[in-house]
């Protein structure tokens, strides 16, 4: 590219980038700022941008006087459960897709991809009926299974492409050395794809942590997740913005960190090869 | 393909049929069948009945009745129209903003790494939080958006953005644009980074202007990524309903009804599972072409 003068760079690149970055983070920053304002300042007009007297009162109230801490724990259990269940079924599937050529392989992979694209509304109605007849409404297992619906097919695709990056020669060398298939997978392949497995696991975790509709349908009081609980601070006439933004901040910070950790790998998986070619 | 190539296949794989992949795939297939395929089949079945959840035995077979009713349903057509406006507007704006962001983030400047990380923040957040954050910003009495627009002199009095039929849909669309543009920024950036620098050098030696280089080098080089990202995003945006549900629940009136939201409303608020299922199926059929295009692109990869 032809060189631009420093002044032109500042004006043509850095300034517009700054505007886009501000657009991206402003609502987030606004949420955090709101969460540390004392309640009277929330209702001030014109709007007070920076808190006059920052306070953690909303957080204190949220964690001590509401069931939010329990909801956080529920979300943690459900998202961890979904990740473990998801990995348990998608690791072997990804391995099989990458290591074997068998009839129907292509259609099966395509099938998993198509399932990923189904409208959620198509599924929640009967899934609710199914869970109800199995007695799984308002149980950890029920929500975990519901959350696996969409992440498993995608995790399989991601893991297949990670497994495919490990040369088959390694499997063969291990087999010649007398290792069983299971030993080969455990001691040779899995350590090499560990970063991919971690990414898939974190992806399922984030999806489950952020999910709202299934959690709302399938959970009641006992396993309520944070995204569902947050909605409850909206009363018919009043909305408790201090509690809401404090809750939002507590939910958002861990996923933002996790997301930043894996985003590069995620993108490659999402565009399914288009970027590579 | 020659006959020799065909006959050489069994020689290359002399073993008996290997059942190992079947065992490896069984758990995934079983779980997926249980939580996706079975429910989808049930949705098809439900759509043919006048199904009421608390009295399943009282449900009547109505055949195509639900679908006929869908076509006669004024709210269906309103929702479909909103869905089209919604998809075209949201995906289009997300793409434009994402493309600009990607081009900027592909340049080198000292805080580029930080900018790349910050731009994707909206993508990480749960829809519920996005809906609530934007509802708070749109607030009529104390919303920061009204405050800023008043200070800038754009509006004279505060506007109840989410309560007015003429502004509600647009207001929600802006929130969705915000949520999804980072996806385009990141995927298109990944595409830009694969363009070899000598293509630009060659174009520059030929005297191509910056704009010409963008049209003739950049765009063709990332057209594959653009197509895939557009298809994927269209499917997601078309199916998304949680942000609307949180922000307006479809109101005021039917002003922010889209197809998935309407299907959801009829099924849950109305408890008309059969009708909701029919609406969901119509949405699926309408989306099938986009899904098919996406799958066709993505599955080129499997052929390897």
């Amino acid at each position: 590219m032809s060189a631009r003068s420093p002044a032109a760079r500042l004006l043509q690149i850095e300034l517009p980038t700054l505007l886009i970055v501000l657009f991206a983070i402003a609502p987030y920053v606004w949420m955090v700022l709101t969460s540390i304002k004392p309640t009277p300042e929330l209702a001030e007009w014109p709007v007070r941008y920076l808190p006059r007297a920052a306070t953690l009162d909303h957080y204190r109230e949220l964690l001590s006087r509401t069931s939010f801490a329990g909801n956080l724990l529920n979300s943690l259990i459900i998202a961890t459960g979904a990740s473990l269940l998801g990995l348990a079924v998608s690791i072997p599937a990804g391995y099989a897709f990458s290591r074997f050529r068998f009839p129907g392989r292509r259609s099966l992979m395509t099938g998993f991809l198509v399932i990923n694209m189904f409208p959620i509304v198509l599924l929640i109605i009967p899934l609710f009926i199914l869970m109800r007849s199995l007695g799984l409404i308002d149980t950890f297992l029920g929500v975990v299974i519901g959350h696996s619906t969409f992440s498993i097919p995608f995790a399989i695709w991601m893991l297949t492409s990670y497994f495919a990056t490990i040369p088959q020669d390694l499997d063969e060398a291990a087999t010649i050395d007398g290792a069983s298939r299971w030993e080969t997978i455990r001691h040779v392949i899995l350590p090499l794809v560990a970063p991919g497995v971690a990414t898939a696991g974190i992806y399922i975790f984030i999806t489950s942590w952020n999910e709202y509709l299934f959690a709302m349908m399938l959970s009641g009081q006992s396993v309520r997740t944070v995204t569902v609980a947050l909605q409850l601070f909206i009363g018919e006439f009043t909305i408790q913005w201090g509690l809401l933004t404090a809750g939002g901040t507590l939910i958002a910070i861990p996923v933002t960190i996790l997301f930043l950790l894996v985003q590069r790998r995620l993108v490659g998986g999402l565009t399914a090869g288009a970027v590579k070619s | 393909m020659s006959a020799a190539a065909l006959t050489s296949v069994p020689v290359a794989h002399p073993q008996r049929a290997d059942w190992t992949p079947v065992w490896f795939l069984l758990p995934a297939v079983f779980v997926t069948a249980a939580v996706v395929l079975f429910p989808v089949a049930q949705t098809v079945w439900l759509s043919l009945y006048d199904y009421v959840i608390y009295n399943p035995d009282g449900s009547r077979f109505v055949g195509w009745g639900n679908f006929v009713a869908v076509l006669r349903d004024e709210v269906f057509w309103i929702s479909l129209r909103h869905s089209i406006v919604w998809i075209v507007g949201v995906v289009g704006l997300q793409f434009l903003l994402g493309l600009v962001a990607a081009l900027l983030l592909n340049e080198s400047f000292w805080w580029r790494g930080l900018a790349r990380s910050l731009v994707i923040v909206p993508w990480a957040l749960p829809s519920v939080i996005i809906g609530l954050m934007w509802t708070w910003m749109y607030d009529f009495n104390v919303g920061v958006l009204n405050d800023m627009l008043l200070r800038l002199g754009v509006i004279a009095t505060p506007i109840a953005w989410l309560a007015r039929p003429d502004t509600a849909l647009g207001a929600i669309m802006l929130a969705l644009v915000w949520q999804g543009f980072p996806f385009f920024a990141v995927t298109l950036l990944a595409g830009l980074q694969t363009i070899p620098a000598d293509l630009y050098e060659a174009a520059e030696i030929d005297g191509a202007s910056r704009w010409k280089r963008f049209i003739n080098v950049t765009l063709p080089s990332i057209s594959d990524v653009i197509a895939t990202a557009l298809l994927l995003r269209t499917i997601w945006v078309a199916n998304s309903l949680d942000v609307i549900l949180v922000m307006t629940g479809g109101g005021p009136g039917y002003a922010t009804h889209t197809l998935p939201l309407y299907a959801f409303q009829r099924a849950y608020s109305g408890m008309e599972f059969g009708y909701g299922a029919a609406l969901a199926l119509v949405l699926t059929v309408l989306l099938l072409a986009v899904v098919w295009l996406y799958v066709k692109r993505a599955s080129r990869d499997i052929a390897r």
Side-chain angles (χ1 to χ4, degrees):
Chain A
M1 291 237 164
S2 55
R4 301 176 204 232
S5 70
R9 292 199 73 79
L10 205 62
L11 208 65
Q12 292 171 5
I13 295 163
E14 296 194 49
L15 185 69
T17 309
L18 184 67
L19 289 178
I20 290 180
V21 168
L22 283 180
F23 176 64
I25 63 169
Y28 200 108
V29 172
W30 188 237
M31 173 173 75
V32 179
L33 280 179
T34 305
S35 74
I36 55 169
K37 274 182 205 165
T39 307
E41 284 188 41
L42 292 177
E44 262 179 57
W45 186 264
V47 169
R48 161 160 292 279
Y49 283 80
L50 291 173
R52 198 178 301 135
T55 168
L56 291 177
D57 282 353
H58 300 306
Y59 291 91
R60 221 167 280 136
E61 190 187 344
L62 186 72
L63 294 174
S64 64
R65 302 233 328 262
T66 73
S67 54
F68 199 75
N71 301 133
L72 277 170
L73 186 65
N74 289 343
S75 277
L76 189 66
I77 293 171
I78 288 169
T80 308
S83 303
L84 294 179
L85 174 69
L87 287 180
V89 306
S90 46
I91 289 176
Y95 177 81
F97 279 138
S98 77
R99 287 302 189 259
F100 300 96
R101 296 289 176 272
F102 50 90
R105 170 179 176 269
R106 213 190 145 116
S107 347
L108 203 55
M109 283 192 78
T110 310
F112 278 119
L113 191 65
V114 173
I115 281 167
N116 224 10
M117 307 284 125
F118 279 164
I120 294 178
V121 277
L122 193 67
L123 295 174
I124 37 183
I125 304 168
L127 207 57
F128 175 74
I129 299 175
L130 178 73
M131 294 293 180
R132 201 161 157 266
S133 59
L134 293 175
L136 288 176
I137 297 287
D138 202 18
T139 63
F140 283 118
L141 186 62
V143 185
V144 165
I145 294 174
H147 279 179
S148 312
T149 326
F150 283 105
S151 30
I152 285 179
F154 184 65
I156 292 175
W157 268 72
M158 272 169 78
L159 287 169
T160 302
S161 60
Y162 283 119
F163 279 120
T165 60
I166 313 297
Q168 296 240 17
D169 305 356
L170 284 178
D171 304 42
E172 280 151 26
T175 315
I176 290 165
D177 288 347
S180 69
R181 184 177 297 283
W182 173 239
E183 284 165 344
T184 311
I185 295 176
R186 220 187 121 196
H187 298 295
V188 181
I189 311 291
L190 275 185
L192 288 171
V193 293
V197 170
T199 307
I202 291 175
Y203 166 79
I204 304 174
F205 187 95
I206 294 175
T207 312
S208 168
W209 180 267
N210 286 358
E211 208 281 329
Y212 170 62
L213 278 184
F214 277 113
M216 183 181 77
M217 298 309 309
L218 301 179
S219 77
Q221 222 160 21
S222 45
V223 303
R224 187 173 284 145
T225 66
V226 275
T227 49
V228 180
L230 208 56
Q231 273 281 73
L232 298 181
F233 297 123
I234 301 179
E236 201 173 337
F237 302 107
T238 54
I239 301 180
Q240 294 167 288
W241 286 111
L243 290 182
L244 263 181
T245 49
T249 307
L250 287 181
I251 300 171
I253 285 175
V255 284
T256 313
I257 294 170
L258 280 180
F259 196 87
L260 288 175
L261 288 178
V262 295
Q263 54 107 353
R264 270 172 176 280
R265 293 172 201 278
L266 265 186
V267 174
L270 276 177
T271 47
V275 172
K276 274 179 282 167
S277 58
Chain B
M1 191 182 277
S2 69
L6 278 176
T7 49
S8 76
V9 171
V11 181
H13 301 278
Q15 316 99 316
R16 290 173 294 123
D18 187 353
W19 286 93
T20 324
V22 176
W23 302 120
F24 278 70
L25 285 164
L26 214 55
V29 171
F30 174 75
V31 172
T32 313
V35 296
V36 183
L37 293 186
F38 174 69
V40 168
Q42 206 178 2
T43 303
V44 175
W45 178 83
L46 279 175
S47 70
L48 302 173
Y49 283 81
D50 183 8
Y51 188 91
V52 184
I53 177 116
Y54 293 110
N55 183 17
D57 301 327
S59 62
R60 270 181 320 120
F61 179 79
V62 291
W64 295 110
N66 282 325
F67 293 93
V68 174
V70 164
L71 296 180
R72 287 196 190 130
D73 181 351
E74 199 193 343
V75 183
F76 162 75
W77 293 105
I78 295 173
S79 306
L80 179 62
R81 201 172 59 233
H82 288 161
S83 269
I84 293 167
V85 172
W86 162 272
I87 294 166
V88 174
V90 170
V91 176
L93 288 172
Q94 282 180 349
F95 168 69
L96 284 181
L97 196 57
L99 179 63
V100 172
L103 289 169
L104 290 167
L105 293 172
N106 198 33
E107 300 283 339
S108 55
F109 49 95
W110 63 273
W111 50 286
R112 179 174 77 174
L114 180 68
R116 281 184 182 174
S117 304
L118 291 180
V119 156
I120 62 164
V121 161
W123 187 13
L125 296 181
S127 301
V128 173
I129 294 189
I130 288 164
L132 293 172
M133 262 160 50
W134 283 83
T135 307
W136 168 234
M137 294 195 297
Y138 281 129
D139 193 87
F140 176 69
N141 291 310
V142 289
V144 68
L145 224 75
N146 275 323
D147 182 77
M148 286 196 305
L149 293 174
L150 283 169
R151 280 173 203 258
L152 292 170
V154 179
I155 53 175
T157 50
I159 293 175
W161 298 99
L162 294 174
R164 278 173 50 165
D166 56 334
T167 54
L169 190 64
I172 295 179
M173 283 169 67
L174 179 64
L176 252 275
V177 169
W178 178 79
Q179 177 189 33
F181 90 89
F183 168 78
F184 280 108
V186 178
T187 43
L188 300 185
L189 178 61
L192 289 176
Q193 286 168 344
T194 63
I195 306 176
D198 43 359
L199 276 182
Y200 286 107
E201 282 158 23
E204 213 176 328
I205 290 165
D206 291 344
S209 66
R210 197 165 269 147
W211 174 249
K212 277 254 160 72
R213 274 175 283 164
F214 173 70
I215 295 293
N216 296 320
V217 180
T218 309
L219 277 188
S221 307
I222 59 168
S223 61
D224 242 18
V225 187
I226 292 179
T228 307
L230 277 176
L231 288 172
L232 192 56
R233 203 68 212 174
T234 301
I235 300 164
W236 284 349
V237 169
N239 288 335
S240 83
L241 69 117
D242 32 17
V243 174
I244 316 181
L245 200 63
V246 171
M247 289 180 76
T248 62
Y254 297 115
T256 53
H257 266 58
T258 57
L259 270 189
L261 182 95
Y262 185 45
F264 181 79
Q265 295 283 31
R266 287 299 284 253
Y268 288 100
S269 315
M271 283 293 157
E272 300 162 272
F273 278 31
Y275 195 73
L279 282 166
L281 278 174
V282 172
L283 168 70
T284 309
V285 170
L286 291 176
L287 269 181
L288 227 50
V290 187
V291 173
W292 181 74
L293 280 174
Y294 173 73
V295 168
K296 225 177 93 176
R297 294 192 75 87
S299 59
R300 284 180 314 193
D301 249 24
I302 327 173
R304 283 175 306 183

